[in-house]
């Protein structure tokens, strides 16, 4: 079985092809028109589309093939214990399911480092429990600039050379970077106390910046959301 997974975000469109052996290819597009040119030449058995930009009806008219459209009513391979499931971002539950599927069981913690940092827990009973949401690297840096009179706008993708800054700029860089790193380590350690066997998966645009955190129980899987979407598709077609 060959699956096409399409994840349409606010600015970019990601797609991936999965076979029973796993991920065999992924691509990123700037527009639906460019993506369509690519998908029309593909051979696949099933397709799932997750979209925050287009409604299902619009995509039914635009795409020349059938697909499963992910929404809050789509059956999932795990139980959803979230108190407000209709408000749950579909990318969040997909990341959680991706971590759970790769690990083979819970407990797992998926950490998605994007504009916001989201923490998603699936427990040992394979129940999604929720987690936490906090500002990402760029949002932290932008907030200090926009909510103060004199602090500059900083942008960083690499770990500062020193924990102790020796200028306003390097102090801000240290605060943003290590604030997030120590937050993640604190979250992971707190979950490990409750779930000693927990495995942690990092994903998202800033995940590679924290690859140094990877160790025996922490893994960086850049396409974790796509893995989760593929698992959801398989659950619905098998």
């Amino acid at each position: 079985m060959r699956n096409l997974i399409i994840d349409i975000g606010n600015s970019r469109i990601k797609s991936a092809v999965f076979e029973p052996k796993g991920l065999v290819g992924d691509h990123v597009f700037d527009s639906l028109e460019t993506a369509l040119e690519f998908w029309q030449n593909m051979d696949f058995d099933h397709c799932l589309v997750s979209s925050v930009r287009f409604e299902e009806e619009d995509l039914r008219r635009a795409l020349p093939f059938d697909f499963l459209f992910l929404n809050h009513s789509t059956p999932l391979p795990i139980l959803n214990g979230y108190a407000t499931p209709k408000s749950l971002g579909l990318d969040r539950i997909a990341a959680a399911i991706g971590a759970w599927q790769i690990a083979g069981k819970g407990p797992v913690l998926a950490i998605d480092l994007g504009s916001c940092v989201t923490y998603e827990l699936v427990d040992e009973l394979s129940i999604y429990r929720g987690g936490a949401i906090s500002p990402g690297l760029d949002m932290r840096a932008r907030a200090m600039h926009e909510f103060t009179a004199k602090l500059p706008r900083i942008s960083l993708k690499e770990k500062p050379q020193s924990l102790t800054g020796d200028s306003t700029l390097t102090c801000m860089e240290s605060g943003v970077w290590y604030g997030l790193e120590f937050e993640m380590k604190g979250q992971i350690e707190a979950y490990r106390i409750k779930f000693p066997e927990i495995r942690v998966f990092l994903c998202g645009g800033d995940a590679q910046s924290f690859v140094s955190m990877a160790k025996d129980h922490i893994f960086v899987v850049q396409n974790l959301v796509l893995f989760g979407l593929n698992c959801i598709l398989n659950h619905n077609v098998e």
Side-chain angles (χ1 to χ4, degrees), residues 2-238:
R2 187 176 173 91
N3 292 342
L4 173 62
I5 304 300
I6 299 172
D7 183 16
I8 303 176
N10 288 309
S11 58
R12 298 190 304 169
I13 299 173
K14 299 178 183 178
S15 75
V17 174
F18 287 85
E19 293 181 351
K21 62 183 179 181
L23 176 67
V24 296
D26 61 278
H27 296 82
V28 178
F29 308 95
D30 293 325
S31 69
L32 187 60
E33 291 74 21
T34 304
L36 265 171
E37 293 177 4
F38 183 81
W39 296 332
Q40 286 176 338
N41 298 318
M42 295 184 62
D43 180 30
F44 55 89
D45 300 300
H46 304 286
C47 176
L48 178 143
V49 177
S50 174
S51 175
V52 298
R53 195 189 319 175
F54 302 109
E55 298 296 329
E56 180 178 1
E57 294 75 14
D58 299 327
L59 291 170
R60 294 284 176 198
R61 290 190 293 267
L63 301 182
F65 46 80
D66 192 24
F67 57 86
L68 172 67
F69 186 80
L70 181 64
N71 57 39
H72 290 101
S73 300
T74 304
L76 303 175
I78 62 175
L79 294 177
N80 188 349
Y82 206 59
T84 56
K86 298 267 179 168
S87 71
L88 176 61
L90 296 173
D91 56 336
R92 292 181 60 194
I93 191 68
I97 291 172
W100 171 82
Q101 187 264 330
I102 292 173
K105 61 179 181 178
V108 293
L109 179 68
I111 305 177
D112 192 340
L113 293 106
S115 298
C116 289
V117 180
T118 59
Y119 300 82
E120 317 297 348
L121 174 69
V122 179
D123 68 13
E124 73 282 6
L125 300 176
S126 295
I127 301 174
Y128 172 74
R129 295 297 186 182
I133 305 173
S134 70
L137 279 177
D138 189 64
M139 189 179 293
R140 292 168 192 240
R142 191 171 71 245
M144 285 196 291
H145 171 62
E146 293 182 358
F147 290 100
T148 63
K150 295 184 178 179
L151 290 179
R153 179 70 166 93
I154 64 169
S155 177
L156 70 164
K157 289 295 183 181
E158 295 183 356
K159 189 173 186 176
Q161 294 183 354
S162 174
L163 174 64
T164 305
D166 59 4
S167 68
T168 299
L169 186 65
T170 56
C171 283
M172 292 175 68
E173 290 174 345
S174 176
V176 168
W177 186 280
Y178 290 104
L180 179 52
E181 181 178 309
F182 296 158
E183 174 193 304
M184 288 194 291
K185 288 180 176 179
Q187 287 268 11
I188 292 169
E189 184 56 32
Y191 277 115
R192 280 181 62 80
I193 292 173
K194 187 172 183 179
F195 304 102
E197 302 301 318
I198 198 167
R199 280 166 283 186
V200 181
F201 295 82
L202 308 183
C203 67
D206 288 328
Q208 287 299 324
S209 298
F210 292 90
V211 70
S212 61
M213 289 181 58
K215 53 180 69 174
D216 56 344
H217 65 284
I218 302 176
F219 311 90
V220 176
V221 181
Q222 194 64 46
N223 290 318
L224 190 64
V225 170
L226 295 175
F227 276 92
L229 294 175
N230 185 60
C231 185
I232 294 171
L233 177 58
N234 285 335
H235 178 72
N236 281 269
V237 300
E238 289 179 348

